[in-house]
Amino acid sequence: SWRARWLPVDSGGKGALPAMRSTAQILTTLRPHMTASRPRINRWASASLGLVLLHAQSVHSGCPTNLLSLLPCSGNGFCNSTRGDFCHCDDGFTGTDCSQRMCPAGRAWADYAQGYNVAHRNDTECSGMGYCDYETGVCECRAGFGGSACQKLLCPQGQNGNGVSQECSGQGRCMSMREAGAQVDYKSLWFGDEYGKWDADMIYGCACDEGFEGMDCSELSCPAGDDPITTGKDEVQILTCICPYSCSGTFTLGFRGQTTDAIPHDATAELLEYYLEKLSTTMSVNVSITGGNGGVCAGTGVTTMITFRELSGNLPALVNTSSLTSTTGAPYLSIYTDGLTSPFHRTNASVIGTRESAPCSNRGTCDRSTGVCRCYEGFHASNGRGQAGSKGDCGYYNGSHPGSQMTECPKATPLWASQDPAVCSGKMQSCSADFICNCTAGYSGPACEYMDCPKGKAWFDETTGLGGHRNGSSCSNRGLCSQSSGTCSCDGTYGVFEGAACHKMSCALDEDGVACGNTRGTCLTMKKLAKRTKLNGQAYPAAYDNEWDAAKIQGCHCAQPPSVTSDHGNEEDTYSGPHAFTWKPLTGYDCTKAECPKGDDILTPGQTEIQQINCTTNDGSFKLVFRNKATDAIPWDAPAQRVKQEIEKITTIGKVNVLYTNTSFNASACNKRSDTQRGWSNNTIQVEFLTELGDVPLMRAFAYTQYTGLGESINTTEYRKGTKENVECNARGICDRTQGRCTCLSGFNTSDHQGNFGQYGDCGFWNPSTQPYLVSSEGE
């Protein structure tokens, strides 16, 4: 146990502080012993005693000196004696004594809009999705977020083939939206369009390897092929060559990111097929040559037709690179696609591919747990060309089967019910000319065998010409769809996503599983948070409606008591009153932290704000509004003391001075219009804000009762701009956000916001005679 006694620094006390790394650690250890040894200390004053122990010099003799390093500003900054012995911290350090390390900052995940559709502030500590450990300068991120500043949404994890949980199930690559937009792999990334919005380097997702799919790459893809019932065309591309007279050298052809070996200039059709089919991206091709002597460049004006026999759809053009030489003229290779003809042989035309590449060739049911197709009656595995084979794609139709000429849409046993096969699973709305089912709402598949899951804007996808975060993505691409029930299983790795379509980013839960701690805050979308934007303590509703995340990303709107209601839009507004130890404005991504009281640095120059009210009337009353809170009605002829009382009754103001420029004993608040309308009394109401610091919002004045008539008016103006700081712990203490309390430097204590001792719980009172103390400990 400890026996604590209080000794002046110069008294020769022999107790020694235990070795610790930082101010905060010393404070944590000593606070309970300080409290126990000084039970009669006023609770408002006690907040300042902790840090008194940590500095060997009182504030009037220089900047705070850390007892561990014996250096001013903890050795992590320099002392500015021209500004009230104020520490300017080195890069990477913060705190009034520079004893704390700064944490990395990034764009805020969820915050209040700064303007029309403008949000996600940069330089937000731990991106607003973690808490800073000021001992180490390391962000402690909320589960599901990572990176030095918690600026990354982590990729989902799933079980690989061995049952081991891995990022993207070990069957895909985790990448950012920007990276997904820039890359093309012709497996899950196809377009190569740039993405540069605010989340380009923050939202990460999985680009699955070939054969895998799903938001975590845990599902198996079924074989894809061409529907044997529909009519499709193979892609045909044309290669032309001009290489006059003595031609020599080689060339290469590239397709979907792969490039052939060097091809001889006089390669035959068979040799060119060989080189192309060595690429895994081309599969099977057919080559024919027109002109020349049977070689690709064995003459002038040769046309080579290249037919892609297994690939489907409109394919990207081949890319040629020439190393050909000629003794006469420059050799020239060209590629023609999309219906263009050869300039040398006009009857040779390229063809746009129209063959499908559909799971199970649109003629079977895909089981994504096994990657196996269950073919409809009459359909079987093909060779990729419509004949029988072993591809497992249902791309072969058995014409010798009874009823081989299809007369109705396919029958199937649905995944969502145990029943005998039925045409379109019994959910047909109509049957297309190609015998594909048009299903009733909520069902899909060539035979309506799947139940649709809810859809939303994708959290992660590849950018296309339409942009990123496309709408209509099953389970918003952050959940797995059960096609037997039509429900989404949201990514459960970290519990970040919620909603029927996994379309919302959830707020952090407390230990009882309640978002934002229930009474501590309210979980709101970015759109709703924007409506609660405040500027300089005053409600300033903004609009955040048109961005992709407006209704998807949610954040905690933390309580800031006492609660009042604004007079416009009935939006809830809050303001922290003077009793800072009674009511603590809450903060943090889960509202578990508290802000510390703010105030003016008493050792720096500054002035209070003065606003003027001018009103002219003979009767009635008026009201004043400050930070969305209105006074009671003030009679037009009220004396200065009555105006002061009414202003100080509202919860958004502490104390004011009210002065009339008309100093006569019976002066009224408003200028009185004379009965003869030939003159006016002369008075201006001046309101000096004593406890509201800095450049405060302008009060609004309005007539309340019987305030009409010729020449009657009321308005407010700023007479003197407030320049006093309004900073946490007055820049003379360290904030403990776990309690929302300031621990003041030696010589400073809680104030009344006017430089005197008071109850604000800040560090705005300075007593230069205060001496620092050390604690002596004796074991028992």
Side-chain angles (χ1 to χ4, degrees):
S1 63
W2 286 66
R3 177 181 298 165
R5 55 193 177 93
W6 297 81
L7 302 173
V9 168
D10 57 358
S11 69
K14 57 185 177 181
L17 289 172
M20 292 186 183
R21 292 179 299 171
S22 69
T23 294
Q25 285 182 314
I26 295 175
L27 178 60
T28 301
T29 301
L30 296 183
R31 182 183 286 116
H33 309 301
M34 293 157 46
T35 304
S37 62
R38 297 290 299 270
R40 290 174 293 182
I41 294 176
N42 182 285
R43 69 173 177 140
W44 302 108
S46 63
S48 68
L49 295 178
L51 205 60
V52 169
L53 304 171
L54 306 178
H55 302 92
Q57 299 173 343
S58 60
V59 74
H60 61 273
S61 61
C63 281
T65 300
N66 188 281
L67 285 177
L68 297 176
S69 62
L70 299 180
L71 295 173
C73 303
S74 305
N76 301 320
F78 67 91
C79 182
N80 185 348
S81 58
T82 63
R83 190 174 180 262
D85 297 327
F86 191 86
C87 285
H88 285 272
C89 301
D90 297 337
D91 288 345
F93 292 90
T94 188
T96 190
D97 62 348
C98 304
S99 65
Q100 297 176 309
R101 290 187 177 273
M102 294 182 67
C103 280
R107 283 195 177 275
W109 280 102
D111 63 356
Y112 301 94
Q114 303 112 316
Y116 181 69
N117 287 324
V118 178
H120 305 289
R121 287 178 179 83
N122 215 340
D123 300 322
T124 301
E125 185 179 76
C126 301
S127 304
M129 205 55 84
Y131 292 124
C132 181
D133 182 345
Y134 296 106
E135 300 288 332
T136 61
V138 175
C139 291
E140 298 173 350
C141 302
R142 174 188 170 186
F145 296 85
S148 61
C150 309
Q151 79 279 14
K152 293 182 180 181
L153 176 66
L154 300 181
C155 279
Q157 296 198 352
Q159 291 191 343
N160 62 17
N162 297 320
V164 178
S165 181
Q166 285 183 279
E167 186 178 71
C168 300
S169 306
Q171 296 156 171
R173 293 170 294 148
C174 180
M175 61 179 62
S176 67
M177 285 285 292
R178 188 189 303 278
E179 291 169 332
Q183 297 184 33
V184 175
D185 62 9
Y186 299 106
K187 298 173 184 175
S188 53
L189 305 174
W190 296 84
F191 301 103
D193 288 334
E194 182 179 351
Y195 183 79
K197 289 194 173 184
W198 68 268
D199 60 298
D201 301 309
M202 297 179 67
I203 290 187
Y204 280 66
C206 296
C208 299
D209 297 338
E210 188 171 8
F212 299 94
E213 58 187 77
M215 59 95 183
D216 58 357
C217 305
S218 63
E219 297 180 320
L220 296 174
S221 302
C222 287
D226 181 49
D227 187 338
I229 301 302
T230 61
T231 302
K233 296 180 180 179
D234 291 328
E235 173 95 4
V236 179
Q237 298 188 13
I238 295 175
L239 170 67
T240 62
C241 181
I242 299 175
C243 191
Y245 301 104
S246 299
C247 185
S248 61
T250 61
F251 65 94
T252 61
L253 294 175
F255 184 74
R256 286 182 170 174
Q258 296 185 13
T259 303
T260 65
D261 296 332
I263 303 170
H265 75 283
D266 58 352
T268 62
E270 291 78 9
L271 186 58
L272 182 56
E273 285 181 9
Y274 167 77
Y275 279 106
L276 284 172
E277 290 180 351
K278 284 178 67 177
L279 306 180
S280 64
T281 54
T282 58
M283 301 179 73
S284 174
V285 297
N286 180 268
V287 175
S288 63
I289 298 175
T290 304
N293 297 314
V296 175
C297 286
T300 299
V302 180
T303 299
T304 302
M305 308 286 286
I306 301 171
T307 302
F308 294 84
R309 303 177 70 245
E310 292 190 33
L311 296 180
S312 303
N314 187 6
L315 303 178
L318 290 160
V319 178
N320 72 82
T321 303
S322 174
S323 298
L324 299 174
T325 60
S326 174
T327 57
T328 305
Y332 192 74
L333 284 171
S334 297
I335 300 291
Y336 295 88
T337 64
D338 298 340
L340 296 177
T341 60
S342 167
F344 309 128
H345 305 92
R346 290 298 183 182
T347 58
N348 290 1
S350 59
V351 178
I352 298 174
T354 59
R355 283 164 29 95
E356 298 102 338
S357 181
C360 304
S361 304
N362 275 340
R363 297 299 165 178
T365 302
C366 176
D367 182 347
R368 288 187 173 86
S369 65
T370 62
V372 174
C373 294
R374 187 175 68 212
C375 299
Y376 304 148
E377 185 179 13
F379 294 90
H380 309 276
S382 81
N383 63 353
R385 297 291 303 162
Q387 289 88 37
S390 59
K391 193 177 177 183
D393 61 348
C394 307
Y396 168 58
Y397 180 56
N398 186 357
S400 64
H401 189 278
S404 60
Q405 299 301 315
M406 294 191 70
T407 58
E408 62 179 3
C409 273
K411 296 180 179 180
T413 299
L415 298 181
W416 41 266
S418 297
Q419 64 182 43
D420 293 333
V423 174
C424 298
S425 304
K427 297 295 181 180
M428 182 178 71
Q429 195 172 49
S430 64
C431 184
S432 74
D434 295 326
F435 302 104
I436 296 292
C437 298
N438 296 315
C439 307
T440 56
Y443 299 88
S444 61
C448 307
E449 61 265 64
Y450 310 127
M451 285 192 74
D452 290 335
C453 283
K455 297 178 174 63
K457 290 182 179 178
W459 285 105
F460 173 85
D461 62 0
E462 180 185 10
T463 309
T464 68
L466 300 176
H469 305 291
R470 293 185 298 277
N471 212 343
S473 297
S474 181
C475 302
S476 306
N477 202 21
R478 206 62 195 228
L480 295 178
C481 175
S482 170
Q483 294 180 316
S484 61
S485 64
T487 57
C488 295
S489 296
C490 301
D491 176 15
T493 309
Y494 307 106
V496 173
F497 300 95
E498 65 182 15
C502 309
H503 57 290
K504 289 187 177 182
M505 180 180 288
S506 64
C507 290
L509 306 180
D510 65 7
E511 60 276 6
D512 296 322
V514 180
C516 306
N518 195 9
T519 58
R520 295 197 302 265
T522 306
C523 185
L524 301 174
T525 63
M526 287 289 294
K527 181 177 180 178
K528 291 182 178 179
L529 284 173
K531 301 299 182 184
R532 288 157 174 79
T533 297
K534 292 199 294 185
L535 182 64
N536 198 5
Q538 182 164 297
Y540 194 80
Y544 192 79
D545 302 325
N546 298 334
E547 296 300 309
W548 72 266
D549 60 303
K552 292 177 69 66
I553 291 182
Q554 298 183 116
C556 290
H557 175 62
C558 299
Q560 296 183 330
S563 179
V564 298
T565 302
S566 68
D567 61 348
H568 55 82
N570 294 320
E571 297 289 348
E572 182 186 79
D573 187 31
T574 55
Y575 178 76
S576 179
H579 301 293
F581 282 9
T582 303
W583 297 101
K584 297 181 178 67
L586 300 179
T587 187
Y589 68 84
D590 57 358
C591 302
T592 58
K593 305 298 181 183
E595 295 180 5
C596 282
K598 298 178 180 179
D600 177 51
D601 184 347
I602 195 172
L603 298 187
T604 60
Q607 62 186 16
T608 55
E609 170 119 352
I610 298 177
Q611 296 182 11
Q612 294 190 149
I613 304 154
N614 287 283
C615 57
T616 301
T617 187
N618 282 349
D619 52 17
S621 61
F622 62 93
K623 286 188 175 185
L624 299 174
V625 179
F626 183 75
R627 285 177 172 157
N628 310 105
K629 189 67 175 177
T631 64
D632 292 333
I634 302 173
W636 72 276
D637 57 351
Q641 183 61 27
R642 172 70 182 276
V643 176
K644 172 182 170 68
Q645 289 174 351
E646 295 299 337
I647 292 176
E648 291 183 346
K649 282 167 61 177
I650 64 177
T651 59
T652 53
I653 291 180
K655 293 184 179 180
V656 297
N657 280 334
V658 174
L659 174 69
Y660 284 2
T661 58
N662 184 342
T663 58
S664 61
F665 76 95
N666 62 346
S668 60
C670 296
N671 296 322
K672 182 178 180 181
R673 183 162 55 86
S674 67
D675 293 336
T676 60
Q677 299 187 11
R678 288 180 297 179
W680 310 82
S681 62
N682 184 22
N683 181 49
T684 297
I685 306 171
Q686 291 189 335
V687 179
E688 179 184 13
F689 292 84
L690 302 178
T691 52
E692 282 56 60
L693 306 177
D695 185 14
V696 301
L698 192 66
M699 286 191 295
R700 185 166 60 89
F702 65 94
Y704 184 63
T705 58
Q706 300 177 16
Y707 201 81
T708 59
L710 180 66
E712 298 185 342
S713 63
I714 186 167
N715 63 75
T716 57
T717 58
E718 185 179 66
Y719 177 74
R720 184 176 76 186
K721 185 184 297 292
T723 60
K724 287 190 173 186
E725 297 103 335
N726 189 33
V727 294
E728 208 165 46
C729 301
N730 308 68
R732 297 294 172 176
I734 290 181
C735 176
D736 178 2
R737 284 200 170 83
T738 62
Q739 302 181 54
R741 293 199 175 197
C742 293
T743 301
C744 302
L745 295 176
S746 176
F748 293 90
N749 214 318
T750 178
S751 79
D752 63 353
H753 266 201
Q754 301 174 69
N756 306 308
F757 185 83
Q759 296 183 338
Y760 268 82
D762 59 0
C763 299
F765 170 61
W766 178 42
N767 182 359
S769 65
T770 302
Q771 297 297 315
Y773 288 86
L774 295 177
V775 172
S776 174
S777 61
E778 298 177 6
E780 290 185 344

